[in-house]
Amino acid sequence: MILRILHTILLGILLCIGVAQVPQSFNYQAVVRDASGNVQANKPITLRFTLTDGNGGTIIYREVHSVSTNEFGLVNAIIGKGAPVGSPFSTDLLIQGATTGLDKVFVQTEIDLQAGSNFVTMGSAPLQ
């Protein structure tokens, strides 16, 4: 009886370990405005996301998204699913960096309101 209970518990633990996965992307959402603060509704834009080791540090990963805002100027992107510039996205890289002495990973956001590649930096924030 006890062997059967232990077997069931072990099987449950193995199933949990086998099913759990680290997501290979994360969401980004913003309202896009021009330099005067006007909402940019229904407009094609280009976003570039750069993950760095520390604020302004070494580039870990970079990708570009060609997207359009909605009627409220809202834009959604999934970081990890854009067009990579260089190596493909991997959360394994971020996890390894976090355990091997990387400074905090920062996400730098850049935008081109003309849907090209003339990016303006909008800011950088630590990845939580």
Side-chain angles (χ1 to χ4, degrees):
M1 180 71 169
I2 292 184
L3 186 59
R4 183 176 292 170
I5 292 171
L6 289 175
H7 183 265
T8 303
I9 291 171
L10 181 61
L11 182 61
I13 291 170
L14 289 174
L15 285 173
C16 289
I17 292 171
V19 172
Q21 295 181 10
V22 175
Q24 295 297 313
S25 59
F26 55 96
N27 295 322
Y28 175 84
Q29 187 176 61
V31 173
V32 178
R33 298 174 184 271
D34 65 13
S36 299
N38 300 313
V39 171
Q40 299 297 293
N42 300 312
K43 182 169 181 154
I45 62 167
T46 305
L47 294 169
R48 181 166 69 183
F49 299 103
T50 304
L51 304 182
T52 60
D53 172 11
N55 193 7
T58 305
I59 294 173
I60 300 169
Y61 174 75
R62 177 177 275 168
E63 73 180 24
V64 176
H65 292 257
S66 294
V67 294
S68 291
T69 62
N70 68 10
E71 65 271 20
F72 307 110
L74 186 67
V75 66
N76 293 292
I78 301 174
I79 299 174
K81 301 290 184 183
V85 178
S87 301
F89 182 79
S90 169
T91 52
D92 294 338
L93 177 69
L94 300 178
I95 292 167
Q96 288 171 358
T99 59
T100 58
L102 259 183
D103 285 344
K104 212 172 229 189
V105 175
F106 277 70
V107 180
Q108 177 180 311
T109 306
E110 299 168 276
I111 189 169
D112 183 345
L113 293 176
Q114 304 306 315
S117 60
N118 188 20
F119 295 101
V120 174
T121 301
M122 300 307 298
S124 183
L127 184 60
Q128 301 294 323

